[in-house]
Amino acid sequence: MKKFKTASKQSSNNRMLNRRDFLKTAAATGVGLAVATEQVFPRSSRKTPTPKAKENVSIAVIGVGNRGRHLLRLAAVQPGVKIGAICDVNPKAIEEAQKVLAQNGYQAGSVPVYTGGEYAYRDLLKRDDIDGVIVATNWDWHMPVALDTMRANKYLGLEVPGARTVEECWELVNTHEETGTNMMLLENCCYDRECMAVLKMLREGIFGIPMHATCGYRHSAWGSPKWLQPVDVKTTTEHFVKYAALRNADQYPTHGIGPVANWLDINCGNRFLYLTSVATKAKTINEYVKNHPQGGPDHPNASYNFKQGDIVTTTIKTYRGETIIVNYDNYLPRPYSRDYSLQGTNGIWEGLYRSRGIYIEGKSPKHHQWEKGDEYDKYMKEYDHPVWKDHYEKAQNAGHGGIDYFTIKDFVTCVKGNLYPPIDVYDAATWSVIIPLSERSIANGSTPEFFPDFTRGKWETREPYFGV
Ligand SMILES: NC(=O)c1ccc[n+]([C@@H]2O[C@H](COP(=O)([O-])OP(=O)(O)OC[C@H]3O[C@@H](n4cnc5c(N)ncnc54)[C@H](O)[C@@H]3O)[C@@H](O)[C@H]2O)c1
């Protein structure tokens, strides 16, 4: 145990030195990073802003549906943020967004609105008074809007999952590299408090050498009215419904895999090598509709041939030899879970969604028994990440247990200082590519599908930066 702790402390010191060296080299050669070479971490835990940062920035939101309006609300209350414009094809969504603006002190008509067509957002992007753009459209519009935003040289904040095909993942990376515009994937689950504590514990060597992790997106179709709309893949705007009809894949991997990729230094000294996926049959949406008072056996969705298997299980192997199980389980009746757990040579942790237990060899008092309750809480308190310690109060009211607060705070900090994002384009591509790779693996009888190296070899020298 002592050996691991010492080794890890040294490697963490080296990491910090290497990170600085890397940034210097990258700045000098232009390799690896686009325009911005400074990073939001560790600045996000400091009280003073970067000297070069703008004090005031103008943020636009494209796609002000449920999620977009929530992010609009969070951005509007960030110090030094002016909402510069909003855009949506749906007049009702615009109306609701205007209420959010009014609640935050904006006079009626003071924020320019872009609407009236699917490409109205392009007029918004022509404005030269917009610094950053949050994209929270339906999945089908993520890519066109994201690529145009980078081409317009606005700092991009892209909702998850981002890209949905291998080609789109490359397009995201290539456009970032060609334009030199930064993008942050707005993967709020990376800021999960427990996951950040585990990140800190890993970096301090508490778990020894990491070996295996689990994660997932486990929700339920039960109770959601969207499954009762007769499916028409040409017209439905409900992305989960449309893609359950069209594809059999892990449709939503980033909430699960984001924190795990940070734990395992993916794209920063480690990489995903390959995955294999398997899917159950597809039954539950039919069953849900058949048994629903507003559905019934004659409802078209009761017999619709959804492609999506009810549970998709994916196993990933990494270059360093870890394995990860990722579950996509978004339909059967069940409580919400992201299933995080981590196992290393020195112990095991299971978070909120599992047993909320920890066992550390040589430290846990009872041989082979979990520490739970108050004992577990002591670990979470001791290893609470500094960003959570500093911002706990503000994060509380921001939604999703506080993680949305950190996402938007860091996005705004990045826009102000044109800083390199804590969740970058390579993360976005590497995590989102699980969608098409899992689809191919399922279709071909669980074949291993190899991850493209979106960093083009830079993963070998990049140093971990999330939460550093
Ligand atoms: N990170 C999270 O925790 C989280 C939570 C929920 C949703 N999301 C993501 O946020 C995104 C939006 O999800 P949602 O639930 O708000 O969906 P939604 O359907 O409520 O909102 C999407 C909005 O985009 C608009 N839109 C579609 N095409 C457009 C275009 N061409 N130009 C402008 N506006 C356009 C729609 O009219 C709609 O108002 C999705 O990518 C989803 O995966 C993330």
Side-chain angles (χ1 to χ4, degrees), residues 61-71 87-94 114-115 117-122 135-142 144-145 158-162 164 186-189 217 226 237-240 251-252 254-255 336 338 400 403-404 407:
V61 182
I62 300 176
V64 284
N66 289 326
R67 183 68 182 163
R69 289 197 296 276
H70 178 59
L71 299 179
C87 169
D88 203 294
V89 287
N90 181 352
K92 258 196 151 15
I94 292 286
Y114 292 82
T115 189
E118 287 172 329
Y119 289 94
Y121 74 86
R122 284 186 169 161
V135 177
T137 61
N138 317 71
W139 295 349
D140 281 341
W141 281 91
H142 278 195
V145 184
L158 178 61
E159 252 308 340
V160 300
R164 304 186 51 76
L186 301 177
E187 184 36 89
N188 45 350
C189 297
Y217 184 70
K226 62 176 174 264
T237 53
E238 288 285 359
H239 31 245
F240 277 109
Q251 308 266 9
Y252 212 54
T254 66
H255 284 343
Y336 179 84
R338 295 200 297 273
H400 283 137
I403 57 182
D404 293 343
T407 313

Side-chain angles (χ1 to χ4, degrees), residues 84-88 94 98 101 109-116 120 124 127:
I86 56 170
C87 169
D88 203 294
I94 292 286
Q98 280 169 327
L101 291 170
S110 65
V111 175
V113 170
Y114 292 82
T115 189
L124 180 157
R127 298 182 70 97

Side-chain angles (χ1 to χ4, degrees), residues 62 121 124-125 132-135 142-157 175 179 181-182:
I62 300 176
Y121 74 86
L124 180 157
L125 293 175
V133 175
I134 291 172
V135 177
H142 278 195
M143 287 306 292
V145 184
L147 299 180
D148 284 342
T149 299
M150 284 194 278
R151 289 180 192 124
N153 199 26
K154 316 283 187 212
Y155 204 118
L156 166 67
T175 307
T179 60
T181 312
N182 276 302

